[in-house]
Amino acid sequence: MDLAIDGADEVDPDFNLIKGGGGSLLREKLVDANSDRLIIIIDESKMVHQLGKFPLPVEVVSFGWEVTAQRIGDLGAIPELRKKDGDIFVSNNGNYILDCKFKQISNPKKLHNQLKELLGVVETGLFIGMTDLVIVGSGESVKIYEKKQ
């Protein structure tokens, strides 16, 4: 694809993102990663100095999810199984999502790699080095930030 336009739950100054709050984590990442250009549109509340205020979604296989959650906890997170209307939320790929609260995410790329090494993790909500342009709505104005090459 030439272009993908998407939203994000958080964007840091290096254009790293947390996405997946809506639950279509893996599919969104597949689309965004295979686009020549990714534009993110957000409101100003989603711009952060450091990722981690928003719980990091991590898509995991349902079998043995408890063990995977424990391993994620060993990395400093408090993982919580996502639920909707009292039932376990199932992604459009048939997986569970753990919303993981980290105190801070100081090195998003390292954390992404650590999570991906865990057996049972399908994908993380960390979108690293994928974004070209961020459009930020703020009241009556719009600011456009382009990644420096």
Side-chain angles (χ1 to χ4, degrees):
M1 282 191 309
D2 293 330
L3 174 68
I5 300 173
D6 211 340
D9 301 306
E10 284 187 347
V11 179
D12 76 8
D14 295 321
F15 286 22
N16 296 311
L17 315 174
I18 288 183
K19 294 181 48 55
S24 184
L25 194 152
L26 176 61
R27 289 189 187 191
E28 284 185 19
K29 191 172 265 189
L30 283 168
V31 169
D32 293 349
N34 288 294
S35 298
D36 293 334
R37 187 165 167 88
L38 173 60
I39 298 173
I40 298 295
I41 301 174
I42 58 170
D43 68 62
E44 65 184 339
S45 70
K46 310 251 175 120
M47 289 293 293
V48 297
H49 292 291
Q50 186 173 59
L51 299 178
K53 284 175 53 180
F54 190 88
L56 174 64
V58 178
E59 191 163 341
V60 300
V61 295
S62 59
F63 181 77
W65 73 267
E66 300 92 341
V67 175
T68 306
Q70 187 176 31
R71 300 286 186 259
I72 293 170
D74 293 343
L75 294 175
I78 300 171
E80 185 176 313
L81 183 63
R82 186 176 293 181
K83 295 192 175 182
K84 183 176 180 182
D85 300 325
D87 294 322
I88 295 173
F89 178 85
V90 178
S91 75
N92 48 17
N93 291 302
N95 299 308
Y96 291 171
I97 293 182
L98 298 172
D99 292 311
C100 302
K101 296 175 187 154
F102 287 87
K103 288 183 183 175
Q104 62 181 0
I105 300 175
S106 57
N107 188 334
K109 185 175 183 175
K110 179 180 177 185
L111 178 60
H112 170 76
N113 291 336
Q114 288 174 314
L115 289 165
K116 289 287 287 189
E117 288 179 357
L118 297 176
L119 186 60
V121 170
V122 176
E123 192 52 77
T124 81
L126 289 166
F127 285 49
I128 311 299
M130 297 172 63
T131 307
D132 301 299
L133 187 81
V134 177
I135 300 172
V136 182
S138 174
E140 298 288 322
S141 67
V142 172
K143 294 179 183 173
I144 299 173
Y145 301 94
E146 191 152 8
K147 190 171 190 172
K148 296 175 183 155
Q149 302 296 0

